mmCIF file of all heavy atoms in Angstrom:
data_model
loop_
_atom_site.group_PDB
_atom_site.id
_atom_site.type_symbol
_atom_site.label_atom_id
_atom_site.label_comp_id
_atom_site.label_asym_id
_atom_site.label_seq_id
_atom_site.Cartn_x
_atom_site.Cartn_y
_atom_site.Cartn_z
ATOM 1 N N MET A 184 -9.634 -8.880 -6.526
ATOM 2 C CA MET A 184 -8.529 -8.214 -5.914
ATOM 3 C C MET A 184 -8.733 -6.674 -5.939
ATOM 4 O O MET A 184 -9.166 -6.150 -6.926
ATOM 5 C CB MET A 184 -7.207 -8.546 -6.615
ATOM 6 C CG MET A 184 -6.040 -7.803 -6.039
ATOM 7 S SD MET A 184 -4.662 -7.656 -7.209
ATOM 8 C CE MET A 184 -5.356 -6.649 -8.457
ATOM 9 N N GLU A 185 -8.541 -6.062 -4.827
ATOM 10 C CA GLU A 185 -8.669 -4.592 -4.797
ATOM 11 C C GLU A 185 -7.404 -4.036 -4.208
ATOM 12 O O GLU A 185 -6.862 -4.532 -3.235
ATOM 13 C CB GLU A 185 -9.868 -4.184 -3.892
ATOM 14 C CG GLU A 185 -10.073 -2.713 -3.878
ATOM 15 C CD GLU A 185 -11.223 -2.312 -2.986
ATOM 16 O OE1 GLU A 185 -11.926 -3.162 -2.450
ATOM 17 O OE2 GLU A 185 -11.428 -1.073 -2.809
ATOM 18 N N TYR A 186 -6.971 -2.932 -4.834
ATOM 19 C CA TYR A 186 -5.795 -2.253 -4.285
ATOM 20 C C TYR A 186 -6.199 -1.488 -3.048
ATOM 21 O O TYR A 186 -7.254 -0.876 -2.998
ATOM 22 C CB TYR A 186 -5.198 -1.297 -5.300
ATOM 23 C CG TYR A 186 -4.546 -1.976 -6.451
ATOM 24 C CD1 TYR A 186 -4.945 -1.706 -7.767
ATOM 25 C CD2 TYR A 186 -3.503 -2.888 -6.292
ATOM 26 C CE1 TYR A 186 -4.375 -2.311 -8.848
ATOM 27 C CE2 TYR A 186 -2.920 -3.503 -7.350
ATOM 28 C CZ TYR A 186 -3.325 -3.224 -8.636
ATOM 29 O OH TYR A 186 -2.766 -3.818 -9.673
ATOM 30 N N ILE A 187 -5.350 -1.504 -2.047
ATOM 31 C CA ILE A 187 -5.456 -0.614 -0.908
ATOM 32 C C ILE A 187 -4.818 0.701 -1.260
ATOM 33 O O ILE A 187 -5.337 1.778 -1.004
ATOM 34 C CB ILE A 187 -4.804 -1.218 0.340
ATOM 35 C CG1 ILE A 187 -5.419 -2.564 0.694
ATOM 36 C CG2 ILE A 187 -4.909 -0.283 1.530
ATOM 37 C CD1 ILE A 187 -6.910 -2.529 1.007
ATOM 38 N N CYS A 188 -3.614 0.590 -1.859
ATOM 39 C CA CYS A 188 -2.926 1.797 -2.379
ATOM 40 C C CYS A 188 -2.878 1.654 -3.880
ATOM 41 O O CYS A 188 -2.105 0.868 -4.427
ATOM 42 C CB CYS A 188 -1.534 1.848 -1.793
ATOM 43 S SG CYS A 188 -0.574 3.268 -2.436
ATOM 44 N N TYR A 189 -3.690 2.447 -4.589
ATOM 45 C CA TYR A 189 -3.763 2.420 -6.042
ATOM 46 C C TYR A 189 -2.497 2.973 -6.684
ATOM 47 O O TYR A 189 -2.061 2.492 -7.704
ATOM 48 C CB TYR A 189 -4.961 3.170 -6.550
ATOM 49 C CG TYR A 189 -6.254 2.429 -6.312
ATOM 50 C CD1 TYR A 189 -6.917 2.558 -5.100
ATOM 51 C CD2 TYR A 189 -6.802 1.612 -7.300
ATOM 52 C CE1 TYR A 189 -8.119 1.844 -4.890
ATOM 53 C CE2 TYR A 189 -7.971 0.924 -7.085
ATOM 54 C CZ TYR A 189 -8.596 1.037 -5.873
ATOM 55 O OH TYR A 189 -9.770 0.348 -5.671
ATOM 56 N N CYS A 190 -1.953 4.002 -6.105
ATOM 57 C CA CYS A 190 -0.812 4.685 -6.716
ATOM 58 C C CYS A 190 0.387 3.726 -6.864
ATOM 59 O O CYS A 190 1.136 3.821 -7.807
ATOM 60 C CB CYS A 190 -0.400 5.923 -5.903
ATOM 61 S SG CYS A 190 -1.781 7.121 -5.802
ATOM 62 N N ASP A 191 0.566 2.853 -5.904
ATOM 63 C CA ASP A 191 1.707 1.911 -5.939
ATOM 64 C C ASP A 191 1.282 0.473 -6.130
ATOM 65 O O ASP A 191 2.072 -0.421 -5.968
ATOM 66 C CB ASP A 191 2.531 2.080 -4.657
ATOM 67 C CG ASP A 191 3.271 3.431 -4.667
ATOM 68 O OD1 ASP A 191 4.090 3.629 -5.571
ATOM 69 O OD2 ASP A 191 2.971 4.279 -3.824
ATOM 70 N N LYS A 192 -0.043 0.265 -6.441
ATOM 71 C CA LYS A 192 -0.556 -1.058 -6.750
ATOM 72 C C LYS A 192 -0.261 -2.063 -5.610
ATOM 73 O O LYS A 192 0.266 -3.155 -5.859
ATOM 74 C CB LYS A 192 -0.039 -1.575 -8.074
ATOM 75 C CG LYS A 192 -0.506 -0.696 -9.249
ATOM 76 C CD LYS A 192 -0.104 -1.266 -10.531
ATOM 77 C CE LYS A 192 -0.769 -0.615 -11.751
ATOM 78 N NZ LYS A 192 -1.044 0.796 -11.698
ATOM 79 N N VAL A 193 -0.609 -1.677 -4.403
ATOM 80 C CA VAL A 193 -0.421 -2.522 -3.246
ATOM 81 C C VAL A 193 -1.765 -3.063 -2.788
ATOM 82 O O VAL A 193 -2.693 -2.291 -2.587
ATOM 83 C CB VAL A 193 0.312 -1.755 -2.100
ATOM 84 C CG1 VAL A 193 0.435 -2.607 -0.852
ATOM 85 C CG2 VAL A 193 1.694 -1.284 -2.606
ATOM 86 N N THR A 194 -1.837 -4.385 -2.602
ATOM 87 C CA THR A 194 -3.126 -5.000 -2.230
ATOM 88 C C THR A 194 -3.130 -5.313 -0.721
ATOM 89 O O THR A 194 -2.105 -5.259 -0.048
ATOM 90 C CB THR A 194 -3.278 -6.363 -2.984
ATOM 91 O OG1 THR A 194 -2.255 -7.232 -2.539
ATOM 92 C CG2 THR A 194 -3.198 -6.190 -4.486
ATOM 93 N N GLU A 195 -4.333 -5.635 -0.283
ATOM 94 C CA GLU A 195 -4.493 -6.085 1.166
ATOM 95 C C GLU A 195 -3.568 -7.274 1.400
ATOM 96 O O GLU A 195 -2.930 -7.386 2.461
ATOM 97 C CB GLU A 195 -5.931 -6.448 1.440
ATOM 98 C CG GLU A 195 -6.146 -6.906 2.881
ATOM 99 C CD GLU A 195 -7.592 -7.208 3.184
ATOM 100 O OE1 GLU A 195 -8.450 -7.073 2.287
ATOM 101 O OE2 GLU A 195 -7.914 -7.509 4.327
ATOM 102 N N GLU A 196 -3.510 -8.170 0.439
ATOM 103 C CA GLU A 196 -2.673 -9.357 0.575
ATOM 104 C C GLU A 196 -1.190 -8.953 0.785
ATOM 105 O O GLU A 196 -0.490 -9.543 1.630
ATOM 106 C CB GLU A 196 -2.807 -10.219 -0.671
ATOM 107 C CG GLU A 196 -2.041 -11.519 -0.632
ATOM 108 C CD GLU A 196 -2.295 -12.294 -1.920
ATOM 109 O OE1 GLU A 196 -1.618 -12.007 -2.890
ATOM 110 O OE2 GLU A 196 -3.184 -13.162 -1.898
ATOM 111 N N ASP A 197 -0.723 -7.945 0.039
ATOM 112 C CA ASP A 197 0.650 -7.455 0.198
ATOM 113 C C ASP A 197 0.891 -6.941 1.620
ATOM 114 O O ASP A 197 1.957 -7.196 2.227
ATOM 115 C CB ASP A 197 0.931 -6.331 -0.813
ATOM 116 C CG ASP A 197 0.857 -6.805 -2.250
ATOM 117 O OD1 ASP A 197 1.270 -7.937 -2.529
ATOM 118 O OD2 ASP A 197 0.526 -5.923 -3.103
ATOM 119 N N ILE A 198 -0.096 -6.200 2.180
ATOM 120 C CA ILE A 198 0.037 -5.650 3.499
ATOM 121 C C ILE A 198 0.041 -6.753 4.551
ATOM 122 O O ILE A 198 0.841 -6.728 5.485
ATOM 123 C CB ILE A 198 -1.072 -4.605 3.708
ATOM 124 C CG1 ILE A 198 -0.785 -3.410 2.754
ATOM 125 C CG2 ILE A 198 -1.069 -4.149 5.160
ATOM 126 C CD1 ILE A 198 -1.902 -2.395 2.698
ATOM 127 N N VAL A 199 -0.898 -7.715 4.406
ATOM 128 C CA VAL A 199 -0.957 -8.810 5.341
ATOM 129 C C VAL A 199 0.388 -9.607 5.327
ATOM 130 O O VAL A 199 0.910 -9.962 6.367
ATOM 131 C CB VAL A 199 -2.130 -9.743 5.038
ATOM 132 C CG1 VAL A 199 -2.068 -11.047 5.851
ATOM 133 C CG2 VAL A 199 -3.444 -8.997 5.319
ATOM 134 N N ARG A 200 0.927 -9.789 4.142
ATOM 135 C CA ARG A 200 2.200 -10.477 4.015
ATOM 136 C C ARG A 200 3.308 -9.717 4.768
ATOM 137 O O ARG A 200 4.106 -10.317 5.481
ATOM 138 C CB ARG A 200 2.604 -10.678 2.567
ATOM 139 C CG ARG A 200 3.847 -11.532 2.375
ATOM 140 C CD ARG A 200 4.267 -11.742 0.940
ATOM 141 N NE ARG A 200 3.116 -12.134 0.085
ATOM 142 C CZ ARG A 200 2.610 -11.385 -0.907
ATOM 143 N NH1 ARG A 200 3.137 -10.207 -1.193
ATOM 144 N NH2 ARG A 200 1.580 -11.833 -1.598
ATOM 145 N N ALA A 201 3.337 -8.398 4.584
ATOM 146 C CA ALA A 201 4.372 -7.592 5.251
ATOM 147 C C ALA A 201 4.224 -7.721 6.751
ATOM 148 O O ALA A 201 5.237 -7.834 7.484
ATOM 149 C CB ALA A 201 4.252 -6.131 4.801
ATOM 150 N N ILE A 202 3.005 -7.730 7.251
ATOM 151 C CA ILE A 202 2.812 -7.894 8.718
ATOM 152 C C ILE A 202 3.342 -9.248 9.135
ATOM 153 O O ILE A 202 4.000 -9.358 10.180
ATOM 154 C CB ILE A 202 1.328 -7.689 9.060
ATOM 155 C CG1 ILE A 202 0.906 -6.236 8.822
ATOM 156 C CG2 ILE A 202 1.059 -8.086 10.517
ATOM 157 C CD1 ILE A 202 -0.553 -5.988 8.862
ATOM 158 N N GLY A 203 3.069 -10.280 8.353
ATOM 159 C CA GLY A 203 3.553 -11.586 8.636
ATOM 160 C C GLY A 203 5.128 -11.650 8.611
ATOM 161 O O GLY A 203 5.709 -12.496 9.282
ATOM 162 N N GLN A 204 5.700 -10.726 7.900
ATOM 163 C CA GLN A 204 7.169 -10.677 7.823
ATOM 164 C C GLN A 204 7.763 -9.715 8.822
ATOM 165 O O GLN A 204 8.953 -9.394 8.758
ATOM 166 C CB GLN A 204 7.610 -10.334 6.397
ATOM 167 C CG GLN A 204 7.237 -11.404 5.390
ATOM 168 C CD GLN A 204 7.492 -10.995 3.944
ATOM 169 O OE1 GLN A 204 7.658 -9.828 3.638
ATOM 170 N NE2 GLN A 204 7.536 -11.976 3.069
ATOM 171 N N GLY A 205 6.894 -9.192 9.700
ATOM 172 C CA GLY A 205 7.446 -8.387 10.820
ATOM 173 C C GLY A 205 7.072 -6.947 10.847
ATOM 174 O O GLY A 205 7.478 -6.235 11.779
ATOM 175 N N ALA A 206 6.357 -6.449 9.839
ATOM 176 C CA ALA A 206 5.950 -5.013 9.852
ATOM 177 C C ALA A 206 5.097 -4.734 11.088
ATOM 178 O O ALA A 206 4.182 -5.489 11.386
ATOM 179 C CB ALA A 206 5.173 -4.670 8.587
ATOM 180 N N ARG A 207 5.388 -3.642 11.793
ATOM 181 C CA ARG A 207 4.639 -3.301 12.982
ATOM 182 C C ARG A 207 4.089 -1.880 12.932
ATOM 183 O O ARG A 207 3.292 -1.482 13.762
ATOM 184 C CB ARG A 207 5.491 -3.501 14.233
ATOM 185 C CG ARG A 207 5.813 -4.955 14.522
ATOM 186 C CD ARG A 207 4.544 -5.742 14.872
ATOM 187 N NE ARG A 207 4.781 -7.135 15.087
ATOM 188 C CZ ARG A 207 4.697 -8.070 14.143
ATOM 189 N NH1 ARG A 207 4.336 -7.731 12.901
ATOM 190 N NH2 ARG A 207 4.942 -9.330 14.405
ATOM 191 N N THR A 208 4.590 -1.051 12.030
ATOM 192 C CA THR A 208 4.139 0.330 11.920
ATOM 193 C C THR A 208 3.787 0.675 10.479
ATOM 194 O O THR A 208 4.148 -0.066 9.529
ATOM 195 C CB THR A 208 5.249 1.296 12.377
ATOM 196 O OG1 THR A 208 6.375 1.182 11.424
ATOM 197 C CG2 THR A 208 5.772 0.952 13.750
ATOM 198 N N ILE A 209 3.125 1.798 10.307
ATOM 199 C CA ILE A 209 2.825 2.250 8.961
ATOM 200 C C ILE A 209 4.074 2.470 8.163
ATOM 201 O O ILE A 209 4.169 2.178 6.972
ATOM 202 C CB ILE A 209 1.965 3.581 9.053
ATOM 203 C CG1 ILE A 209 0.592 3.295 9.576
ATOM 204 C CG2 ILE A 209 1.912 4.268 7.672
ATOM 205 C CD1 ILE A 209 -0.299 2.467 8.650
ATOM 206 N N ARG A 210 5.122 2.990 8.831
ATOM 207 C CA ARG A 210 6.396 3.206 8.153
ATOM 208 C C ARG A 210 6.969 1.857 7.692
ATOM 209 O O ARG A 210 7.552 1.826 6.584
ATOM 210 C CB ARG A 210 7.356 3.913 9.082
ATOM 211 C CG ARG A 210 8.535 4.559 8.362
ATOM 212 C CD ARG A 210 9.321 5.478 9.318
ATOM 213 N NE ARG A 210 8.577 6.634 9.737
ATOM 214 C CZ ARG A 210 8.565 7.803 9.089
ATOM 215 N NH1 ARG A 210 9.217 7.920 7.957
ATOM 216 N NH2 ARG A 210 7.881 8.788 9.544
ATOM 217 N N ASP A 211 6.816 0.802 8.506
ATOM 218 C CA ASP A 211 7.256 -0.510 8.068
ATOM 219 C C ASP A 211 6.537 -0.959 6.827
ATOM 220 O O ASP A 211 7.114 -1.459 5.868
ATOM 221 C CB ASP A 211 7.019 -1.585 9.166
ATOM 222 C CG ASP A 211 7.869 -1.409 10.414
ATOM 223 O OD1 ASP A 211 8.933 -0.712 10.334
ATOM 224 O OD2 ASP A 211 7.492 -1.948 11.465
ATOM 225 N N ILE A 212 5.201 -0.744 6.820
ATOM 226 C CA ILE A 212 4.372 -1.136 5.682
ATOM 227 C C ILE A 212 4.828 -0.398 4.415
ATOM 228 O O ILE A 212 4.954 -0.935 3.330
ATOM 229 C CB ILE A 212 2.888 -0.862 5.935
ATOM 230 C CG1 ILE A 212 2.364 -1.641 7.146
ATOM 231 C CG2 ILE A 212 2.017 -1.106 4.683
ATOM 232 C CD1 ILE A 212 2.180 -3.087 6.943
ATOM 233 N N GLN A 213 5.080 0.886 4.589
ATOM 234 C CA GLN A 213 5.525 1.728 3.428
ATOM 235 C C GLN A 213 6.848 1.197 2.920
ATOM 236 O O GLN A 213 7.024 1.010 1.729
ATOM 237 C CB GLN A 213 5.664 3.165 3.863
ATOM 238 C CG GLN A 213 6.076 4.075 2.749
ATOM 239 C CD GLN A 213 6.216 5.505 3.145
ATOM 240 O OE1 GLN A 213 6.476 5.815 4.311
ATOM 241 N NE2 GLN A 213 6.008 6.404 2.217
ATOM 242 N N ARG A 214 7.808 0.945 3.819
ATOM 243 C CA ARG A 214 9.129 0.500 3.378
ATOM 244 C C ARG A 214 9.073 -0.870 2.718
ATOM 245 O O ARG A 214 9.736 -1.109 1.713
ATOM 246 C CB ARG A 214 10.051 0.461 4.633
ATOM 247 C CG ARG A 214 11.461 0.013 4.371
ATOM 248 C CD ARG A 214 12.366 0.151 5.623
ATOM 249 N NE ARG A 214 11.753 -0.344 6.821
ATOM 250 C CZ ARG A 214 11.667 -1.656 7.146
ATOM 251 N NH1 ARG A 214 12.217 -2.539 6.372
ATOM 252 N NH2 ARG A 214 11.101 -2.021 8.259
ATOM 253 N N MET A 215 8.253 -1.767 3.274
ATOM 254 C CA MET A 215 8.257 -3.108 2.760
ATOM 255 C C MET A 215 7.370 -3.355 1.552
ATOM 256 O O MET A 215 7.607 -4.275 0.780
ATOM 257 C CB MET A 215 7.818 -4.090 3.893
ATOM 258 C CG MET A 215 8.857 -4.112 5.056
ATOM 259 S SD MET A 215 8.269 -4.928 6.564
ATOM 260 C CE MET A 215 8.266 -6.652 6.043
ATOM 261 N N THR A 216 6.327 -2.561 1.391
ATOM 262 C CA THR A 216 5.413 -2.768 0.218
ATOM 263 C C THR A 216 5.535 -1.672 -0.825
ATOM 264 O O THR A 216 5.099 -1.879 -1.966
ATOM 265 C CB THR A 216 3.942 -2.800 0.678
ATOM 266 O OG1 THR A 216 3.533 -1.498 1.123
ATOM 267 C CG2 THR A 216 3.744 -3.830 1.762
ATOM 268 N N GLY A 217 6.082 -0.538 -0.438
ATOM 269 C CA GLY A 217 6.120 0.582 -1.341
ATOM 270 C C GLY A 217 4.848 1.449 -1.360
ATOM 271 O O GLY A 217 4.744 2.448 -2.077
ATOM 272 N N ALA A 218 3.860 1.005 -0.577
ATOM 273 C CA ALA A 218 2.609 1.755 -0.492
ATOM 274 C C ALA A 218 2.890 3.205 -0.022
ATOM 275 O O ALA A 218 3.819 3.445 0.740
ATOM 276 C CB ALA A 218 1.669 1.096 0.490
ATOM 277 N N MET A 219 2.085 4.093 -0.486
ATOM 278 C CA MET A 219 2.150 5.523 -0.059
ATOM 279 C C MET A 219 3.462 6.179 -0.444
ATOM 280 O O MET A 219 3.954 7.046 0.271
ATOM 281 C CB MET A 219 1.888 5.646 1.458
ATOM 282 C CG MET A 219 0.585 5.032 1.939
ATOM 283 S SD MET A 219 0.525 4.805 3.727
ATOM 284 C CE MET A 219 1.680 3.469 3.992
ATOM 285 N N THR A 220 4.014 5.770 -1.550
ATOM 286 C CA THR A 220 5.340 6.266 -1.948
ATOM 287 C C THR A 220 5.260 7.233 -3.132
ATOM 288 O O THR A 220 5.944 8.260 -3.156
ATOM 289 C CB THR A 220 6.258 5.093 -2.316
ATOM 290 O OG1 THR A 220 6.366 4.229 -1.145
ATOM 291 C CG2 THR A 220 7.681 5.586 -2.633
ATOM 292 N N HIS A 221 4.409 6.875 -4.129
ATOM 293 C CA HIS A 221 4.273 7.729 -5.308
ATOM 294 C C HIS A 221 2.862 8.303 -5.329
ATOM 295 O O HIS A 221 2.050 7.977 -6.239
ATOM 296 C CB HIS A 221 4.581 6.917 -6.597
ATOM 297 C CG HIS A 221 5.946 6.311 -6.541
ATOM 298 N ND1 HIS A 221 6.186 5.006 -6.087
ATOM 299 C CD2 HIS A 221 7.154 6.798 -6.896
ATOM 300 C CE1 HIS A 221 7.465 4.752 -6.163
ATOM 301 N NE2 HIS A 221 8.089 5.824 -6.668
ATOM 302 N N CYS A 222 2.553 9.130 -4.375
ATOM 303 C CA CYS A 222 1.216 9.598 -4.173
ATOM 304 C C CYS A 222 0.689 10.489 -5.309
ATOM 305 O O CYS A 222 1.276 11.533 -5.573
ATOM 306 C CB CYS A 222 1.090 10.378 -2.863
ATOM 307 S SG CYS A 222 1.651 9.367 -1.456
ATOM 308 N N ASP A 223 -0.351 10.016 -5.981
ATOM 309 C CA ASP A 223 -1.071 10.802 -6.970
ATOM 310 C C ASP A 223 -2.534 10.390 -6.851
ATOM 311 O O ASP A 223 -3.200 10.058 -7.847
ATOM 312 C CB ASP A 223 -0.529 10.512 -8.390
ATOM 313 C CG ASP A 223 -1.156 11.406 -9.441
ATOM 314 O OD1 ASP A 223 -1.761 12.487 -9.035
ATOM 315 O OD2 ASP A 223 -1.070 11.103 -10.609
ATOM 316 N N CYS A 224 -2.987 10.356 -5.620
ATOM 317 C CA CYS A 224 -4.273 9.732 -5.250
ATOM 318 C C CYS A 224 -5.456 10.421 -5.953
ATOM 319 O O CYS A 224 -6.378 9.672 -6.371
ATOM 320 C CB CYS A 224 -4.459 9.755 -3.751
ATOM 321 S SG CYS A 224 -3.056 9.205 -2.825
ATOM 322 N N ALA A 225 -5.424 11.711 -6.142
ATOM 323 C CA ALA A 225 -6.545 12.393 -6.780
ATOM 324 C C ALA A 225 -6.768 11.843 -8.177
ATOM 325 O O ALA A 225 -7.875 11.840 -8.665
ATOM 326 C CB ALA A 225 -6.271 13.890 -6.768
ATOM 327 N N ASN A 226 -5.697 11.405 -8.827
ATOM 328 C CA ASN A 226 -5.824 10.927 -10.227
ATOM 329 C C ASN A 226 -5.857 9.385 -10.307
ATOM 330 O O ASN A 226 -6.577 8.833 -11.179
ATOM 331 C CB ASN A 226 -4.667 11.431 -11.024
ATOM 332 C CG ASN A 226 -4.698 12.904 -11.200
ATOM 333 O OD1 ASN A 226 -5.724 13.485 -11.540
ATOM 334 N ND2 ASN A 226 -3.629 13.585 -10.908
ATOM 335 N N LYS A 227 -5.155 8.696 -9.457
ATOM 336 C CA LYS A 227 -5.017 7.241 -9.599
ATOM 337 C C LYS A 227 -5.972 6.431 -8.733
ATOM 338 O O LYS A 227 -6.260 5.315 -9.020
ATOM 339 C CB LYS A 227 -3.584 6.801 -9.278
ATOM 340 C CG LYS A 227 -2.572 7.328 -10.301
ATOM 341 C CD LYS A 227 -1.190 6.817 -9.970
ATOM 342 C CE LYS A 227 -0.201 7.298 -11.039
ATOM 343 N NZ LYS A 227 1.207 6.965 -10.649
ATOM 344 N N ASN A 228 -6.371 7.051 -7.612
ATOM 345 C CA ASN A 228 -7.269 6.285 -6.688
ATOM 346 C C ASN A 228 -8.719 6.646 -7.074
ATOM 347 O O ASN A 228 -9.114 7.809 -7.015
ATOM 348 C CB ASN A 228 -6.969 6.701 -5.251
ATOM 349 C CG ASN A 228 -7.679 5.833 -4.250
ATOM 350 O OD1 ASN A 228 -8.809 5.382 -4.487
ATOM 351 N ND2 ASN A 228 -7.020 5.559 -3.135
ATOM 352 N N PRO A 229 -9.495 5.606 -7.426
ATOM 353 C CA PRO A 229 -10.931 5.890 -7.813
ATOM 354 C C PRO A 229 -11.715 6.542 -6.710
ATOM 355 O O PRO A 229 -12.780 7.097 -6.981
ATOM 356 C CB PRO A 229 -11.453 4.512 -8.196
ATOM 357 C CG PRO A 229 -10.518 3.510 -7.607
ATOM 358 C CD PRO A 229 -9.178 4.196 -7.513
ATOM 359 N N LYS A 230 -11.247 6.394 -5.483
ATOM 360 C CA LYS A 230 -11.961 7.076 -4.388
ATOM 361 C C LYS A 230 -11.607 8.600 -4.337
ATOM 362 O O LYS A 230 -12.222 9.349 -3.597
ATOM 363 C CB LYS A 230 -11.594 6.423 -3.073
ATOM 364 C CG LYS A 230 -12.118 4.974 -2.995
ATOM 365 C CD LYS A 230 -11.566 4.198 -1.832
ATOM 366 C CE LYS A 230 -12.023 2.738 -1.938
ATOM 367 N NZ LYS A 230 -11.286 1.871 -1.044
ATOM 368 N N GLY A 231 -10.606 8.965 -5.154
ATOM 369 C CA GLY A 231 -10.287 10.381 -5.273
ATOM 370 C C GLY A 231 -9.544 11.009 -4.137
ATOM 371 O O GLY A 231 -9.441 12.220 -4.042
ATOM 372 N N THR A 232 -9.059 10.155 -3.301
ATOM 373 C CA THR A 232 -8.349 10.665 -2.129
ATOM 374 C C THR A 232 -7.235 9.718 -1.720
ATOM 375 O O THR A 232 -7.208 8.601 -2.196
ATOM 376 C CB THR A 232 -9.317 10.913 -0.964
ATOM 377 O OG1 THR A 232 -8.605 11.562 0.111
ATOM 378 C CG2 THR A 232 -9.901 9.609 -0.465
HETATM 379 S S1 FES B 447 -3.546 5.417 -3.146
HETATM 380 FE FE1 FES B 447 -1.698 5.097 -2.099
HETATM 381 S S2 FES B 447 -0.490 6.833 -2.480
HETATM 382 FE FE2 FES B 447 -2.349 7.141 -3.589
#
């Protein structure tokens, strides 16, 4: 398992599930999964961005 959003611990599976539940925009994904909400990517994301 790999996080897509490390800061909020959101996986690809979480995002696919949100799409299955009706998410159609990035804003929908953010609202439904919490991804991209507590951004500290330089420290928490091993990709550094
Ligand atoms: S990796 Fe998603 S907000 Fe930092």
Side-chain angles (χ1 to χ4, degrees):
M184 178 203 63
E185 181 182 355
Y186 291 123
I187 302 298
C188 177
Y189 285 86
C190 300
D191 290 297
K192 296 186 168 34
V193 177
T194 65
E195 179 177 3
E196 184 178 83
D197 295 327
I198 293 171
V199 169
R200 184 180 313 114
I202 292 168
Q204 293 172 345
R207 290 296 176 266
T208 66
I209 291 293
R210 197 170 295 271
D211 291 342
I212 299 288
Q213 182 180 28
R214 179 174 46 79
M215 293 169 72
T216 68
M219 305 166 288
T220 302
H221 303 93
C222 302
D223 187 18
C224 311
N226 294 310
K227 292 183 179 173
N228 190 325
K230 295 169 186 165
T232 185

